[in-house]
């Protein structure tokens, strides 16, 4: 056992003394030491209850003969960080989470890890750490929040963001705004739509790093506690069989994750996190590869924000395992991949049938023949850009309009609320990429304002930043190269015509190359927005969005 480096032999007397100071017995130190990494905090509703999940995990570890030792991970709530400087730290925190887990694990000699995240960047941060360390590891999340019916419609966090736009447009009053605030987030758990957190928790099942049910069992169900106990027991089996993350996260399991991503219509942020996890697992992918898979994958789900269903509906319909079974009917998955159950993916999904075909469409009757996410290229995004195609109104799949250009999210929001955006416009928000932001902020506030003001079928928004999984409409992010690296988006001027064709995966600035060359010669970038601290270091080391915004230090 690796933990022998901190507990075996006469030379480790000081080490054992310190463990005993924490209350551990000789009997406990004889067993494998299992790190239980809990992102519990009192800020994020998806994490407020993770202490109960951690206790259940530790019970499972002890039942199976291990010694659980809990330590924390940080977590940022994207919803609370949204629309201000704090959002610059969200994506960047993914690297801090991975680095801190690496540090704690190696320093203290853990034999295996149970990883307990729930929201946004915490899930991929923990997956990156698992792939990097490559010791037996399993993920068990805190589960999704419920959505409750208010005035005949099931609500979610996105309801509140769009309600602000509706209030500004005068279509609802302050009383209704408050009522929606009270109704939108009724329980603990990750926000209830197919937003980033739930996308990644579902994809953990597909990758094989989590047990079936990880992505969909609601946070408040007792089944979630039982799942956590089973995860604690299962890590001991993975340790005994020496099944490691890089045995599980392989080119084939990444392929499966991309397939299911497209079929479910996951958050565009998955196009940041899957490449980052694949990079760490030594199984790198490109967005061109993702686009190829998308072209051949039917979109079977329209979960919020693309439709009215929420994660609780996906759970009731059979969950991710049933969706994968449906995909397997057309041989769209590689079923021999090993998973955290100790069995293959094919064995896991064998008897998992769809219980509600209104939530998971039949493979022969999909919402569309192509996947929920598309990668667009053209002179405006030569390296690529990403859109959640399944959440775009049909009339906006092809659009041409005049650019309204803003050098920050704050400028754009002010312009939207001031009524400066007109039907047909293409809102351009730049210098918000990984380097230029720095930190690549999500743009849920401006997109929700546009939707709330009733312009989502008339206005497109493009950015070198990114979007929340809750975003709907023709919102195209990850424009690469970003403005701070001299990408074409830095050259756009007010009134320029931008052409978008989502079905044909193209995005172009209709300005002659000679004019673009002249603009490039006189281009002056704004002053860096952050000049000190972690984000300054991050901006120097982070790669482009198309590479997953990973930290490159060589």
């Amino acid at each position: 056992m690796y933990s022998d480096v901190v507990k075996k032999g006469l030379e480790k007397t000081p080490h054992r003394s310190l463990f005993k100071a924490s209350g551990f017995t000789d009997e406990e130190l004889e067993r494998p030491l299992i790190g239980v990494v809990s992102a519990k905090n009192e800020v994020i509703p998806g994490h407020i209850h993770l202490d109960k999940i951690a206790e259940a995990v530790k019970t499972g570890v002890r039942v199976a003969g291990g010694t659980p030792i809990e330590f924390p991970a940080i977590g940022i709530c994207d919803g609370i960080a949204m629309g201000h400087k704090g959002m610059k730290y969200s994506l960047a925190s993914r690297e801090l989470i991975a680095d801190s887990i690496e540090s704690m694990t190696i320093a203290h000699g853990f034999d295996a890890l149970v990883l307990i995240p729930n929201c946004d960047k915490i899930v991929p941060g923990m997956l990156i750490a698992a792939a990097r360390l490559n010791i037996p590891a399993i993920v068990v999340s805190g589960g999704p929040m419920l959505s409750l019916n208010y005035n005949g419609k099931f609500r979610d966090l996105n309801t509140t963001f769009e309600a602000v736009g509706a209030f500004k447009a005068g279509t609802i009053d302050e009383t209704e705004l408050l009522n929606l605030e009270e109704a939108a987030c009724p329980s603990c758990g990750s926000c209830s739509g197919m937003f980033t957190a739930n996308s990644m928790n579902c994809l953990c099942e597909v990758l094989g790093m989590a047990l079936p049910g990880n992505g969909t069992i609601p946070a408040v169900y007792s089944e979630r506690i039982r799942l956590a106990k089973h995860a604690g027991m299962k890590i001991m089996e993975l340790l005994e069989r020496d099944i490691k993350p890089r045995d599980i996260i392989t080119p084939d399991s990444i392929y499966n994750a991309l397939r299911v991503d497209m079929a479910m219509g996951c958050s565009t942020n998955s196009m940041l996190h899957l490449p980052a996890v694949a990079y760490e697992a030594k199984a790198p992918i490109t967005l061109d590869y993702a686009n190829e898979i998308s072209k051949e994958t039917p979109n079977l789900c329209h979960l919020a924000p693309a439709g009215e269903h929420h994660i609780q509906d996906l759970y009731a319909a059979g969950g991710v395992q049933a969706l994968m079974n449906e995909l397997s009917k057309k041989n769209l998955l590689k079923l021999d991949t090993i998973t955290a159950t100790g069995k293959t993916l094919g064995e896991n999904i064998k008897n998992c049938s769809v219980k509600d075909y209104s939530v998971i469409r039949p493979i022969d009757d999909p919402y569309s023949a192509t996947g929920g996410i598309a990668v667009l290229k053209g002179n405006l995004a030569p390296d690529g850009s990403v859109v959640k195609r399944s959440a775009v109104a049909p009339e906006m799949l092809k659009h041409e309009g005049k650019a309204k250009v803003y050098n920050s999210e704050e400028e754009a929001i002010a312009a939207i609320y001031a009524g400066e955006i007109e039907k047909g416009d293409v809102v351009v928000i730049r210098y918000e990429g990984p380097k230029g932001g720095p930190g690549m902020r999500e743009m849920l506030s401006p997109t929700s304002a546009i939707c709330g003001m009733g312009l989502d079928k008339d206005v497109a928004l493009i950015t070198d930043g990114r979007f929340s999984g809750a975003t709907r409409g023709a919102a195209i992010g990850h424009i690469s190269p970003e403005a701070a690296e001299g990408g074409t988006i830095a050259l756009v001027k007010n009134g320029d015509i931008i052409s978008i064709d989502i079905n044909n995966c193209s995005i172009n600035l209709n300005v002659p190359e000679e004019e673009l060359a002249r603009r490039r010669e006189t281009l002056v970038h704004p002053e860096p927005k952050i000049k000190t601290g972690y984000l300054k270091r991050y901006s120097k080391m982070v790669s482009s969005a198309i590479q997953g915004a990973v930290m490159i230090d060589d």
Side-chain angles (χ1 to χ4, degrees), residues 233-277:
M233 290 184 261
K234 188 59 67 172
I235 192 61
M236 299 306 296
E237 179 186 331
L238 295 175
L239 178 61
E240 182 181 355
R241 294 176 59 184
D242 196 31
I243 297 175
K244 300 185 179 76
R246 288 187 214 162
D247 300 320
I248 295 173
I249 306 172
T250 64
D252 282 354
S253 69
I254 293 288
Y255 169 93
N256 289 338
L258 288 168
R259 279 284 192 209
V260 175
D261 189 330
M262 302 306 167
M264 284 198 303
C266 290
S267 164
T268 53
N269 281 318
S270 65
M271 292 296 100
L272 282 172
H273 301 319
L274 283 177
V277 172

Side-chain angles (χ1 to χ4, degrees), residues 236-497:
M236 299 306 296
E237 179 186 331
L238 295 175
L239 178 61
E240 182 181 355
R241 294 176 59 184
D242 196 31
I243 297 175
K244 300 185 179 76
R246 288 187 214 162
D247 300 320
I248 295 173
I249 306 172
T250 64
D252 282 354
S253 69
I254 293 288
Y255 169 93
N256 289 338
L258 288 168
R259 279 284 192 209
V260 175
D261 189 330
M262 302 306 167
M264 284 198 303
C266 290
S267 164
T268 53
N269 281 318
S270 65
M271 292 296 100
L272 282 172
H273 301 319
L274 283 177
V277 172
Y279 172 85
E280 204 68 59
K282 314 300 181 187
I285 58 173
T286 67
L287 289 195
D288 289 334
Y289 177 56
N291 232 17
E292 291 169 14
I293 292 175
S294 182
K295 288 177 183 177
E296 300 170 351
T297 307
N299 179 222
L300 304 183
C301 293
H302 269 190
L303 298 160
E308 297 300 319
H309 295 131
H310 290 81
I311 301 299
Q312 65 202 37
D313 302 308
L314 180 60
Y315 165 77
V320 178
Q321 304 294 306
L323 183 141
M324 288 193 286
N325 185 294
E326 196 68 20
L327 289 173
S328 72
K329 293 177 181 179
K330 290 287 181 75
N331 298 315
L332 293 176
L333 296 173
K334 298 181 185 293
L335 300 179
D336 292 334
T337 56
I338 194 69
T339 72
T341 65
K343 300 176 182 179
T344 66
L345 186 72
E347 290 174 307
N348 288 347
I349 69 173
K350 184 177 180 180
N351 298 312
C352 299
S353 58
V354 174
K355 300 174 183 177
D356 186 346
Y357 277 112
S358 71
V359 178
I360 302 172
R361 294 285 285 270
I363 191 73
D364 292 320
D365 185 26
Y367 284 104
S368 67
T370 54
I373 291 176
V375 177
L376 314 186
K377 286 191 172 184
N379 73 339
L380 189 49
D383 291 345
S385 60
V386 178
V387 63
K388 189 168 185 172
R389 175 164 43 197
S390 60
V392 178
E395 50 266 62
M396 288 299 293
L397 290 170
K398 188 172 184 179
H399 181 75
E400 187 170 277
K402 292 181 179 179
K404 293 278 181 71
V405 184
Y406 306 96
N407 284 347
S408 71
E409 180 187 8
E410 288 85 356
E411 291 178 22
I413 292 172
I416 293 166
Y417 286 151
E420 294 178 13
I421 308 304
E422 301 172 345
K423 289 185 177 182
D425 284 346
V426 178
V427 178
V428 179
I429 306 178
R430 61 191 181 193
Y431 293 101
E432 290 288 5
K435 290 183 179 294
M440 202 180 182
R441 286 194 287 186
E442 288 184 346
M443 303 291 167
L444 181 57
S445 293
T447 57
S448 296
I450 287 170
C451 291
M453 297 172 88
L455 294 171
D456 56 299
K457 296 181 180 179
D458 302 288
V459 171
L461 191 153
I462 70 171
T463 180
D464 53 8
R466 60 193 176 92
F467 295 108
S468 165
T471 289
R472 63 185 177 94
I476 300 162
H478 307 199
I479 298 280
S480 298
E482 62 175 288
E485 292 191 304
T488 307
I489 191 172
L491 308 177
V492 182
K493 292 186 176 181
N494 285 320
D496 286 348
I497 302 299

Side-chain angles (χ1 to χ4, degrees), residues 60-215:
V61 170
R62 292 187 185 104
V63 164
T67 296
I69 303 178
E70 184 178 344
F71 65 89
I74 65 167
I76 288 174
C77 180
D78 278 19
I80 295 174
M82 195 73 66
H84 62 94
K85 183 179 178 181
M87 178 49 73
K88 294 178 183 289
Y89 288 86
S90 173
L91 179 60
S93 73
R94 186 186 72 184
E95 315 311 313
L96 290 175
I97 292 163
D99 290 350
S100 64
I101 293 171
E102 174 193 354
S103 302
M104 288 291 290
T105 300
I106 294 176
H108 301 111
F110 293 117
D111 295 301
L113 296 173
V114 182
L115 304 163
I116 308 174
N118 210 24
C119 293
D120 300 293
K121 310 311 153 300
I122 299 93
V123 182
M126 290 190 177
L127 285 173
I128 288 168
R132 182 184 302 168
L133 290 161
N134 203 33
I135 63 173
I138 192 170
V139 173
V140 56
S141 76
M145 184 184 291
L146 292 178
S147 173
L148 298 183
N149 190 314
Y150 168 76
N151 279 354
K153 186 176 180 180
F154 284 84
R155 308 293 177 161
D156 54 53
L157 177 66
N158 198 31
T159 301
T160 60
F161 279 95
E162 293 192 8
V164 174
F167 176 75
K168 296 278 188 181
T171 58
I172 64 171
D173 61 18
E174 192 169 351
T175 298
E176 179 65 1
L177 188 65
L178 177 59
N179 288 340
L180 290 169
E181 176 183 321
E182 298 284 352
C185 299
S187 73
C188 63
S190 48
C191 295
S192 55
M194 186 51 77
F195 310 151
T196 304
N198 292 324
S199 295
M200 294 308 301
N201 283 325
C202 287
L203 292 179
C204 282
E205 288 187 48
V206 187
L207 285 170
M209 286 297 295
L211 298 179
N214 178 75

